[in-house]
Amino acid sequence: MAAKDKFHAVVRIALEKEEWQITDDPLLLEVGGTKFEIDLGAEKLLAAERGEEKIAVEIKSFLTDSPLTDYHGALGQFLNYRLALEISDPTRILYLAIPVVAYETFFKREFAQMSLERYEIKLIIYDPKQEVIVQWIS
C-alpha cells in the first residue's frame, strides 16, 4: 500500500464536514493488469431525482521547494488515474486536492491555469489548518 499524503486525514475530515460519505480509503482499481490506489472514494446523496454523486480524490501537499516538480508528478498521476476510472468506474469524477497555499502561490499562475484548463483538471482546494474545503473548481 502506498504511503498516505501528509494531509490525507485533513481532506477526509473536510469532505465529511460537507456530508460526503467516504466509501474507499484508498479506492482500489485494476485496469489492464495494473493496480491503482487513489487516495479516497466518496459518495453524496443528492436530490431524489438526481441519485448520487461519486468522486475519487487524489490528495497532494505541495510542500517541497519545487511546486512545478510536484505538479509534474501530480499531473501524470492524475491523468493515469482518470483514464483508469474512465475504464473501470466511469460514473466517478476525479479531483486533485491541493492546499490553499499551493493554489494561491502556484496554481493561480498563468501557466498553471493554462495547464489546468488544457487537461481539464478538477480541483478541491483545502485549508489544512481549518480542515475545510475552501473551493471546488470543476
Side-chain angles (χ1 to χ4, degrees):
M1 183 180 275
K4 292 186 177 182
D5 186 88
K6 177 178 178 162
F7 295 130
H8 184 96
V10 165
V11 174
R12 183 181 174 127
I13 290 166
L15 286 167
E16 290 172 335
K17 284 180 180 178
E18 292 202 0
E19 299 182 6
W20 286 92
Q21 177 185 354
I22 304 302
T23 56
D24 302 275
D25 186 357
L27 175 62
L28 304 174
L29 306 172
E30 186 168 344
V31 177
T34 302
K35 294 180 180 180
F36 298 89
E37 288 186 16
I38 303 173
D39 289 324
L40 295 171
E43 295 180 359
K44 189 176 207 179
L45 188 60
L46 303 172
E49 65 275 0
R50 289 186 54 206
E52 64 185 9
E53 185 174 3
K54 294 168 46 173
I55 63 173
V57 180
E58 183 58 24
I59 303 163
K60 295 298 176 195
S61 59
F62 284 85
L63 293 175
T64 71
D65 291 337
S66 177
L68 183 58
T69 299
D70 289 346
Y71 180 60
H72 288 316
L75 177 61
Q77 192 174 21
F78 183 93
L79 294 175
N80 285 322
Y81 286 175
R82 186 169 61 196
L83 177 59
L85 281 169
E86 287 171 5
I87 294 165
S88 67
D89 193 354
T91 62
R92 198 175 291 272
I93 299 167
L94 181 62
Y95 283 87
L96 179 63
I98 60 169
V100 67
V101 171
Y103 181 70
E104 295 294 331
T105 60
F106 176 76
F107 284 88
K108 282 191 172 181
R109 294 179 188 171
E110 183 179 2
F111 176 79
Q113 288 292 306
M114 288 187 298
S115 178
L116 292 171
E117 185 176 326
R118 164 74 53 93
Y119 298 113
E120 299 175 355
I121 308 299
K122 297 177 185 321
L123 296 177
I124 295 173
I125 302 158
Y126 63 91
D127 182 332
K129 291 185 175 106
Q130 301 293 320
E131 297 181 331
V132 296
I133 294 173
V134 175
Q135 186 176 3
W136 295 77
I137 299 177
S138 294

